[in-house]
Amino acid sequence: MTKLKYVYEALKRASSFLLENGREEGAARILLQHELGLSYSGLIAAMRDEISEAQFNRFWANVEQHAKGVPVQHLTGSEEFYGRNFLVNPDVLIPRPETEELIEETLQLIERHLFKEELAIADIGTGSGIIAITMKCELPNAQVTATDISQPALETAALNAERLHAEIDFRLGDLTEPIKDQKWDVVLSNPPYIGHEEAPSLSDSVRYFEPHNALFADQEGLALYEKMAEQFPKLINKPGIIGFEIGYQQGPAVEKMLKSAFPDAVVYIKEDINKKDRMVFAIIE
């Protein structure tokens, strides 16, 4: 490989290489920022700076890994979510922007329907902890508990909570089992919701590098919603709020489950920014 001297040359070569390999060229910028320890504006300002051979070699090794399908976030070890930086690794799902919309809608519902300072909030299937930690950071007086069936995921979530100074009660166990002895004002979950039959349609970065126990569920992806809907009536305070993130084709089915569990509740489907069904909420009065 011809030796490069400047930052802009490294970026140009990596962008072209990723495009040739069917990847987004923007990943080259993120990986270069990571290698050089620069913000986006810092990278722009440094385009005419020299890049050392060692820096370029480390950067290029990551570029080649991403070309093979390794997610950028696994190479940098982090992802932004709701304005905060979270550690990620192969034990947890990579945070998606759609989940930020779940947080935003929940905060608005709390402001309109729940009128007490110290809310009891549960996040079921917390993964890297993004929902639980963000809720605690946004509502410092809340008591927030997060569960997951994966011990490695909980360890990652605990690291994130420590880094972001969020006091969270992490509990190991399946769905609502770890929280069944308490009543909750708000319960949120972004559970596995992809049907096993959909696996071939996923990108290789997701299919081969993200944890399957956080991706796939039985009954065309609906199994865990059904279980939680059956368990929730014994767990939710009145007034209370339930919020699910869903697959874009699952809205009517999940809405029906919550209406069956809470006949008097206001249950509705909310679209994401791309106009796809992405959340189902229940307001229990």
Side-chain angles (χ1 to χ4, degrees):
M1 182 179 290
T2 306
K3 186 176 178 181
L4 303 181
K5 185 175 182 180
Y6 296 109
V7 168
Y8 80 86
E9 294 177 307
L11 181 60
K12 183 177 180 181
R13 177 172 292 181
S15 298
S16 297
F17 178 77
L18 290 177
L19 278 177
E20 290 166 5
N21 283 271
R23 305 293 173 189
E24 294 286 339
E25 61 180 330
R29 175 186 58 77
I30 296 169
L31 292 172
L32 191 53
Q33 284 179 226
H34 172 69
E35 174 57 39
L36 300 178
L38 296 173
S39 65
Y40 175 73
S41 58
L43 181 66
I44 298 302
M47 284 296 179
R48 292 285 173 177
D49 291 353
E50 294 187 5
I51 184 169
S52 72
E53 186 174 358
Q55 286 174 324
F56 178 75
N57 287 340
R58 288 192 298 267
F59 165 62
W60 194 258
N62 278 340
V63 169
E64 289 184 322
Q65 286 295 301
H66 182 56
K68 294 175 183 177
V70 179
V72 169
Q73 295 88 344
H74 288 178
L75 297 168
T76 64
S78 66
E79 177 65 303
E80 294 291 319
F81 181 84
Y82 217 81
R84 300 178 179 92
N85 186 268
F86 285 81
L87 301 175
V88 295
N89 56 48
D91 294 320
V92 298
L93 282 185
I94 295 166
R96 264 73 171 184
E98 292 85 354
T99 310
E100 294 182 340
E101 298 184 59
L102 178 75
I103 297 281
E104 189 64 36
E105 182 74 3
T106 301
L107 291 172
Q108 292 180 26
L109 290 176
I110 288 172
E111 187 174 345
R112 294 200 297 266
H113 297 280
L114 303 183
F115 305 103
K116 62 181 184 180
E117 278 291 306
E118 298 183 6
L119 297 170
I121 300 174
D123 171 25
I124 300 173
T126 195
S128 61
I130 55 170
I131 292 175
I133 293 168
T134 302
M135 293 301 293
K136 179 64 177 179
C137 290
E138 296 297 315
L139 300 170
N141 291 328
Q143 170 218 329
V144 181
T145 299
T147 77
D148 207 286
I149 200 169
S150 164
Q151 182 64 42
L154 285 180
E155 290 170 3
T156 301
L159 284 174
N160 279 320
E162 183 179 357
R163 290 174 71 248
L164 293 166
H165 310 291
E167 186 178 340
I168 310 291
D169 178 8
F170 291 106
R171 301 181 188 179
L172 179 67
D174 186 31
L175 298 179
T176 67
E177 181 64 26
I179 63 167
K180 66 181 182 181
D181 295 326
Q182 184 179 342
K183 292 274 193 173
W184 303 90
D185 301 303
V186 180
V187 179
L188 302 174
S189 185
N190 177 18
Y193 59 67
I194 300 172
H196 297 284
E197 65 282 355
E198 296 179 66
S201 67
L202 299 176
S203 71
D204 56 352
S205 292
V206 173
R207 189 163 71 251
Y208 298 129
F209 295 99
E210 296 204 62
H212 283 198
N213 65 347
L215 289 170
F216 298 107
D218 294 335
Q219 295 172 224
E220 299 181 327
L222 292 167
L224 301 184
Y225 298 112
E226 184 173 29
K227 287 181 182 178
M228 285 189 281
E230 291 171 353
Q231 296 163 354
F232 280 170
K234 296 179 181 179
L235 301 176
I236 306 297
N237 278 328
K238 294 182 179 181
I241 294 167
I242 297 166
F244 280 143
E245 185 170 331
I246 60 167
Y248 72 97
Q249 294 179 310
Q250 296 172 325
V254 176
E255 180 184 36
K256 183 178 179 180
M257 292 173 193
L258 286 176
K259 282 184 174 179
S260 177
F262 299 94
D264 298 326
V266 176
V267 181
Y268 66 97
I269 301 167
K270 184 169 177 62
E271 294 179 340
D272 62 21
I273 196 171
N274 297 312
K275 303 300 181 185
K276 290 185 176 181
D277 289 353
R278 187 61 60 189
M279 296 151 273
V280 178
F281 288 94
I283 304 165
I284 297 104
E285 300 289 0

